[in-house]
Amino acid sequence: MNAHLEARTGERLRRLQEGHNQAEMLFLKQVWWPSFSNFRYLHPEYEVDDFKDGKRYLDFAYIRPAIRICLEVDGYGPHLKNISRWQFADNLERQNQLVIDGWTVIRFSYDQVSEKPRRCQQIVQQVIGRWLGDELDQNPSLSFLEKEVLRLAIRKGEAISPIEVETYLKLTDKTVKKVLSQLVDKKMLIPASGNMRIRSYRLGDQVKHPM
């Protein structure tokens, strides 16, 4: 937040100082940080051109080359109950314009972030995982099969089972066990359930932190 405050002036600075409230902070604490352990590429109160030739501000924008994701946290309050039909239509039009301009729009309610943070984490991981998996290609220590298994785990956003890997990659049980074991040794995967016989695996810190 301090880095973004220092880089902004005028209305962009005021919006960041006044616009980030409890809902947005809760999203950072309960959804984003547990999912990625960093805030790289995430911009709070991000300014975009409005379809009416004005400006609007997104709660969060995740921006990387060829990737633009809008993340909104909507509180349920009196202003929503009193919104007019034309204001409701205007809000929908604003979202449609973002999509037309190439944004992926993900919306959460305050209650979802507060009461079901794990489900919100899974949704964010799934949508961002569609692109983040490409970074695995930069790791020379991973084989082709290991990269594909990690991409599967990233896209799913939760624990994966050996049978899922078998089905996804059309491999034998023996080969899958070998690949999963190698990824555990490299700390790319962590056993998620089972002691003597591991039934599922989740992403390890070696995958999350570089992202």
Side-chain angles (χ1 to χ4, degrees), residues 41 53 58 67 85 89 109 112 114 122-123 132-133 151 162 165 171 181 199-200:
Y41 312 112
D53 297 325
L58 312 179
I67 303 173
R85 295 174 67 177
S109 71
Q112 284 177 299
S114 176
Q122 291 171 348
I123 291 172
L132 284 185
R151 286 193 176 99
V165 178
L171 298 173
S181 177
R199 295 188 296 273
S200 63

Side-chain angles (χ1 to χ4, degrees), residues 35-57:
S35 297
F36 303 108
S37 301
N38 68 71
F39 297 120
R40 291 204 272 292
Y41 312 112
L42 190 68
H43 304 266
E45 293 297 322
Y46 186 78
E47 181 185 277
V48 296
D49 292 328
D50 189 81
F51 72 102
K52 293 182 178 180
D53 297 325
K55 300 291 183 183
R56 70 166 300 189
Y57 293 84

Side-chain angles (χ1 to χ4, degrees), residues 9 13 18 33-34 59 83 108 175 187:
T9 59
L13 175 60
E18 300 179 3
W33 183 261
D59 287 344
I83 192 172
F108 298 105
T175 300
K187 295 181 171 38

Side-chain angles (χ1 to χ4, degrees), residues 143-170:
S143 69
F144 171 78
L145 290 180
E146 290 171 340
K147 292 175 184 177
E148 291 304 306
V149 171
L150 291 175
R151 286 193 176 99
L152 173 63
I154 291 171
R155 292 187 182 112
K156 187 177 180 185
E158 56 187 26
I160 59 173
S161 66
I163 190 65
E164 286 180 290
V165 178
E166 289 179 35
T167 304
Y168 177 66
L169 294 177
K170 297 179 173 57

